[in-house]
């Protein structure tokens, strides 16, 4: 039996799906307490493993009898596409597999998130919310100057983070572009950088802000560093994807004149990517302003830190002022960046 | 076989290709031991079906592709193009210019700037990155644009030009390299028949007036008869004909292009 990528993906999908469906059905039926689940975690883990093996076996068996499972439907190799029938959803196995999985997921999902309509309509709760809304819409304008000063700090945090990230990401983007890094040594650099950037991006800027607030102390500098690290990784990825999609023609054309490696990048690749680069960068600044606000919550400085301070004291009129200032700035940044990006098309 | 019996004055040989083999990483053998000479000042045309190895052959001559084995002797045997590395490759490309089927201009640059790209190998890197090309280079670039009849378009963006005009810009670019040889890979294949002759006429002019050797891949036999001084035919990575364009009769035509092929004329 050959395990190619199609078979692997199908088996993984179908066995995960089978284990999930059976497990959810079991939990819904038994309705165990949380402590019970925690105590019997080993049992559940073993059960899950066993179910996955059974699921994989079922998937193989069904394929033999030409019954299309959801995994087969999604990951079938090009040579087997014809097995997909044109039948109505309700006449197929995968259709029912999908429907049952979806219903069970929604059901258990509501249980887990404790979604409760009655809680939402509770009279006392609603009164509290109305009181809060009243306060929010009755902002305390006395703190407006302070809010404006803080939002300026936030905007500059985002600006400096973006500005410092641009040159670093620009240079690194060429090292993360597959079409340039063909040489074996270069390919290793490419893979290393890609992995590093994926790692950095997979950690939220919020977490970076916590790390840097310990490192350099609470304040705008920590927030700026967090945004910068995150921006470098994001921009380098977006930039390098642009580099990978450039036309080969101009590259060959410039190379054929005897141009060096640097000259080829500068004259054949850069002119093709410069507009999308600017577009991504403007959007990144816009995103960074929004992220800088949130980062303030964990000690990144600026308007976010101010907001969390008043929120902690339940001073809702002051929070209202701050929310309005944030909304205006985010809206303005969003409009401006959309206009700029539109003009660059 | 054509002129094979005629002895060639070896001092007139500008490129000497011996047993050139190119195997791609996927195992396709594009060239299976090709040997021929390119003589100074000639207009050598290479014909053959798509996939016969013409493009690969040309790209090996300026090392856009690396040959698998064999030699390409240049400059009276002083240099083997197949062996050079790094800066040597760039020096070879500087002397052996190329024009392409799809022109390969930088679309966002002006016509003039595209022509100046031909000077990259002559310009120090830091100067070129700042866009500082010498006044002499600029003057020469305009001259070359005049030569191909589009000096008045110098400040337009390259992608605003028609296909034929873009190919003329490409010729001006290759001229500003001051090359000894120009390789032309299907230079008229993406042009309409009328424009096709304009571009071929300019290549002929470059060949005859500036005495630059031309090695050109072509599809249409009628063009070959009109412009080539000598012809090589490739089939499945091997040379099956070498000689004068006038000697390609119907039998040769059938051998090169396969039985059942029909000659099409471009007027």
């Amino acid at each position: 039996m050959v395990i190619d990528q199609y078979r692997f993906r199908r088996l993984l999908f179908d066995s995960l799906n089978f284990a999930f469906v059976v497990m959810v059905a079991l939990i819904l039926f038994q309705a165990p307490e949380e402590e019970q689940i925690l105590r019997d975690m080993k049992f559940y883990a073993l059960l899950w493993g066993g179910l996955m093996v059974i699921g994989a076996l079922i998937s193989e068996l069904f394929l033999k009898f030409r019954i299309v499972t959801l995994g087969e439907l999604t990951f079938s190799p090009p040579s087997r596409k014809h097995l997909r029938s044109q039948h109505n959803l309700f006449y197929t196995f995968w259709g029912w597999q999908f429907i049952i999985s979806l219903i069970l997921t929604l059901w258990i999902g509501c249980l887990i998130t404790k979604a409760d309509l009655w809680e939402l309509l509770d009279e006392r709760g609603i009164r509290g919310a109305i009181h809060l809304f009243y306060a929010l819409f009755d902002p305390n304008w006395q703190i407006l100057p302070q809010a404006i000063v803080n939002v300026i700090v936030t905007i500059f945090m985002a600006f400096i983070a973006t500005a410092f990230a641009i040159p670093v990401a620009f240079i690194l983007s060429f090292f993360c572009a597959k079409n340039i890094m063909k040489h074996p040594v270069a390919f290793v650099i490419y893979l290393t950088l890609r992995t590093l950037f994926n790692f950095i991006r997979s950690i939220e800027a919020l977490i970076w802000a916590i790390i840097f607030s310990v490192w350099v102390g609470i304040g705008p500098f920590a927030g700026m560093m967090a945004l910068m690290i995150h921006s470098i990784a994001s921009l380098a990825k977006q930039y390098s994807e642009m580099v990978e999609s450039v036309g080969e023609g101009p590259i060959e054309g410039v190379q054929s004149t005897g141009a060096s490696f640097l000259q080829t990048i500068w004259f054949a690749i850069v002119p093709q990517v410069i507009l999308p680069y600017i577009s991504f960068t403007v959007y990144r600044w816009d995103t960074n302003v929004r992220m800088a606000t949130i980062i303030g919550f964990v000690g990144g400085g600026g308007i976010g830190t101010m907001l969390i301070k008043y929120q902690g004291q339940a001073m809702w009129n002051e929070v209202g002022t701050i929310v309005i200032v944030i909304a205006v700035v985010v809206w303005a940044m969003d409009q401006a960046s959309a206009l700029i990006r539109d003009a660059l098309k | 076989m054509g002129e094979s019996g005629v002895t060639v004055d070896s001092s007139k040989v500008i490129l000497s290709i011996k047993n050139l083999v190119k195997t791609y990483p996927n195992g396709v053998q594009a060239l299976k031991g090709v040997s021929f000479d390119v003589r100074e000042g000639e207009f050598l045309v290479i014909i053959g079906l798509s996939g016969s190895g013409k493009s690969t052959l040309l790209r090996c001559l300026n090392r856009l592709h690396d040959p698998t084995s064999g030699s390409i002797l240049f400059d009276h045997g002083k240099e083997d193009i197949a062996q050079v590395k790094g800066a040597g490759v760039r020096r070879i490309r500087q002397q052996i210019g190329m024009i392409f089927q799809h022109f390969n201009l930088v679309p966002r640059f002006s016509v003039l700037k595209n022509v100046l790209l031909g000077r990259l190998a002559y310009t120090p890197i830091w100067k070129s990155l700042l866009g500082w090309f010498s006044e002499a280079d600029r003057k020469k670039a305009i001259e070359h644009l005049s030569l191909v009849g589009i000096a008045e378009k110098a400040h337009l963006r390259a992608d605003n030009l028609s296909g034929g005009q873009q190919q003329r810009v490409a010729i001006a670019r290759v001229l500003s390299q001051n090359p000894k040889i120009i390789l032309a890979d299907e230079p008229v294949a993406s042009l309409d028949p009328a424009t096709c002759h304009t571009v071929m006429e300019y290549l002929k002019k470059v060949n005859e007036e500036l005495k630059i050797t031309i090695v050109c891949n072509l599809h249409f036999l009628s063009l070959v008869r009109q412009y080539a001084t000598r012809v090589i035919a490739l089939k499945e990575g091997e040379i099956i004909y070498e000689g004068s364009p006038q000697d390609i009769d119907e039998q040769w035509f059938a051998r090169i292009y396969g039985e059942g092929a029909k000659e099409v004329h471009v007027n």
Side-chain angles (χ1 to χ4, degrees):
Chain A
M1 191 168 99
V2 198
I3 303 263
D4 54 16
Q5 61 161 355
Y6 299 113
R7 171 170 256 142
F8 176 74
R9 286 174 194 178
R10 168 174 59 80
L11 283 177
L12 189 66
F13 184 96
D14 278 338
S15 52
L16 278 173
N17 182 258
F18 180 77
F20 177 75
V21 165
V22 176
M23 193 70 119
V24 168
L26 192 76
I27 288 174
L28 285 174
F29 180 70
Q30 274 194 334
E33 292 296 315
E34 197 174 323
E35 292 95 69
Q36 212 176 325
I37 297 180
L38 288 175
R39 200 180 53 231
D40 297 337
M41 196 50 109
K42 248 187 197 153
F43 164 74
Y44 284 106
L46 275 174
L47 182 63
W48 180 273
L51 287 172
M52 277 191 65
V53 173
I54 298 172
L57 288 175
I58 292 177
S59 177
E60 278 300 307
L61 200 69
F62 274 32
L63 186 66
K64 245 187 201 121
F65 290 107
R66 305 198 142 219
I67 298 171
V68 179
T69 60
L70 210 49
E72 169 69 12
L73 181 84
T74 319
F75 298 111
S76 60
S79 62
R80 270 212 306 274
K81 294 279 189 219
H82 65 274
L83 271 183
R84 296 171 168 198
S85 63
Q86 304 297 320
H87 286 306
N88 183 304
L89 183 77
F90 300 105
Y91 291 100
T92 54
F93 176 77
W94 61 263
W96 283 104
Q97 193 185 354
F98 177 73
I99 292 166
I100 291 173
S101 307
L102 186 67
I103 290 175
L104 284 174
T105 312
L106 288 176
W107 190 350
I108 192 115
C110 286
L111 283 184
I112 288 177
T113 56
K114 300 196 168 66
D116 188 345
L117 197 62
W118 299 120
E119 193 111 10
L120 200 60
L121 296 176
D122 178 65
E123 205 188 338
R124 268 185 55 207
I126 289 181
R127 238 183 288 138
I130 288 174
H131 169 72
L132 197 152
F133 270 110
Y134 267 119
L136 285 180
F137 285 108
D138 179 24
N140 174 4
W141 294 117
Q142 298 240 283
I143 63 153
L144 185 64
Q146 188 64 41
I148 290 175
V149 168
N150 274 308
V151 89
I152 289 174
V153 171
T154 297
I155 293 172
F156 270 96
M157 247 163 74
F159 175 73
I160 294 293
T162 317
F164 284 178
I166 292 169
V168 183
F170 178 82
I171 292 168
L172 290 178
S173 69
F174 296 102
F175 294 97
C176 325
K178 213 189 239 161
N179 56 339
I180 297 181
M181 306 300 276
K182 279 178 189 153
H183 190 274
V185 179
F187 193 69
V188 173
I189 298 174
Y190 158 85
L191 279 182
T192 318
L193 277 176
R194 274 266 151 138
T195 318
L196 178 70
F197 286 151
N198 282 337
F199 173 72
I200 292 175
R201 271 183 313 113
S202 67
I203 298 174
E204 280 293 324
L206 200 67
I207 311 289
W208 284 112
I210 295 172
I211 295 170
F212 279 109
S213 64
V214 172
W215 190 341
V216 301
I218 285 176
F221 184 47
M224 193 279 276
M225 285 302 292
L227 286 177
M228 190 184 77
I229 292 283
H230 206 259
S231 298
I232 289 175
S234 302
L235 283 177
K237 182 181 152 65
Q238 284 180 309
Y239 286 176
S240 65
E241 274 163 9
M242 282 318 301
V243 174
E244 281 175 359
S245 69
V246 296
E248 278 289 321
I251 299 179
E252 255 195 338
V254 171
Q255 269 181 343
S256 75
T257 66
S260 67
F261 180 69
L262 262 181
Q263 287 173 325
T264 307
I265 288 183
W266 188 250
F267 288 100
I269 298 180
V270 171
Q272 294 190 69
V273 296
I274 196 73
L275 280 190
Y277 269 33
I278 296 175
S279 183
F280 286 146
T281 311
V282 172
Y283 185 64
R284 180 48 47 189
W285 183 26
D286 175 17
T287 318
N288 277 349
V289 171
R290 269 178 281 146
M291 277 165 67
T293 318
I294 308 292
I295 277 174
F297 294 175
V298 294
I303 194 87
T305 304
M306 186 178 172
L307 185 130
I308 210 77
K309 212 172 70 195
Y310 284 108
Q311 186 263 336
Q313 300 169 51
M315 294 168 74
W316 301 116
N317 305 71
E318 286 70 16
V319 170
T321 318
I322 297 168
V323 167
I324 289 169
V325 169
I326 293 173
V328 167
V329 167
V330 167
W331 174 81
M333 288 297 298
D334 196 48
Q335 291 296 311
S337 100
L339 284 178
I340 293 173
R341 279 179 289 132
D342 204 43
L344 289 174
K345 263 179 198 155
Chain B
M1 228 216 242
E3 296 180 324
S4 55
V6 182
T7 47
V8 182
D9 182 357
S10 67
S11 65
K12 290 285 183 200
V13 171
I14 188 162
L15 271 184
S16 181
I17 293 101
K18 292 205 173 72
N19 280 320
L20 197 66
V21 174
K22 170 69 186 178
T23 311
Y24 284 107
N26 63 8
V28 173
Q29 211 178 5
L31 298 173
K32 303 169 182 167
V34 169
S35 304
F36 64 98
D37 287 342
V38 179
R39 298 166 203 166
E40 225 168 317
E42 74 175 337
F43 197 124
L44 175 66
V45 169
I46 302 171
I47 57 173
L49 288 170
S50 310
S52 59
K54 305 188 301 264
S55 248
T56 306
L57 174 59
L58 240 57
R59 280 172 167 72
C60 283
L61 298 187
N62 70 348
R63 286 291 296 277
L64 279 180
H65 289 177
D66 294 331
T68 309
S69 67
S71 63
I72 306 163
L73 298 181
F74 178 54
D75 205 5
H76 311 292
K78 274 184 228 149
E79 197 142 34
D80 183 356
I81 294 177
Q83 301 297 330
V84 292
K85 289 188 177 75
V89 174
R90 297 201 290 275
R91 203 177 55 248
I92 291 298
R93 287 182 188 155
Q94 175 184 344
Q95 297 175 80
I96 305 181
M98 188 162 193
I99 64 175
F100 302 83
Q101 178 178 353
H102 299 292
F103 331 124
N104 292 0
L105 302 179
V106 181
R108 303 193 65 88
F109 283 175
S110 71
V111 165
L112 180 65
K113 193 156 184 193
N114 265 292
V115 177
L116 284 169
L117 293 183
R119 300 303 295 173
L120 283 180
Y122 295 90
T123 315
I125 286 187
W126 66 273
K127 268 192 179 176
S128 72
L129 295 191
L130 292 170
W132 290 352
F133 293 96
S134 73
E135 209 40 52
D137 284 352
R138 283 172 197 278
K139 245 170 102 182
K140 209 72 184 153
I142 295 282
E143 269 174 43
H144 289 134
L145 280 171
S146 312
L147 190 92
V148 291
I150 43 172
E152 78 282 0
K153 309 252 187 225
H155 297 288
L156 288 182
R157 249 174 68 159
D159 52 359
N160 285 342
L161 268 55
S162 71
Q165 290 170 332
Q166 290 198 33
Q167 194 61 294
R168 280 144 73 188
V169 176
I171 294 175
R173 174 174 74 186
V174 83
L175 288 179
S176 64
Q177 272 176 247
N178 199 14
K180 290 190 174 127
I181 304 173
I182 293 175
L183 310 172
D185 185 27
E186 303 278 5
V188 295
S190 44
L191 302 177
D192 58 66
T195 326
C196 188
H197 277 288
T198 322
V199 167
M200 288 307 293
E201 284 297 333
Y202 280 120
L203 279 180
K204 190 178 170 186
K205 191 168 155 190
V206 166
N207 176 242
E208 287 175 354
E209 290 176 18
L210 305 177
K211 311 278 179 228
I212 299 176
T213 310
I214 290 181
V215 183
C216 178
N217 286 345
L218 278 182
H219 251 105
F220 292 109
L221 208 51
S222 57
L223 288 177
V224 177
R225 293 212 182 89
Q226 205 169 339
Y227 295 101
T229 58
R230 206 159 62 91
V231 176
I232 283 175
L234 278 182
K235 190 174 186 179
E236 286 158 14
E238 283 168 308
I239 293 184
I240 58 166
Y241 177 88
E242 185 171 359
S244 138
Q246 272 66 38
D247 295 342
I248 303 180
D249 52 22
E250 271 171 36
Q251 277 165 337
W252 271 114
F253 185 79
R255 279 190 62 185
I256 298 166
Y257 290 99
E259 301 293 342
K262 210 165 158 256
E263 198 182 333
V264 182
H265 289 270
V266 180
N267 298 307

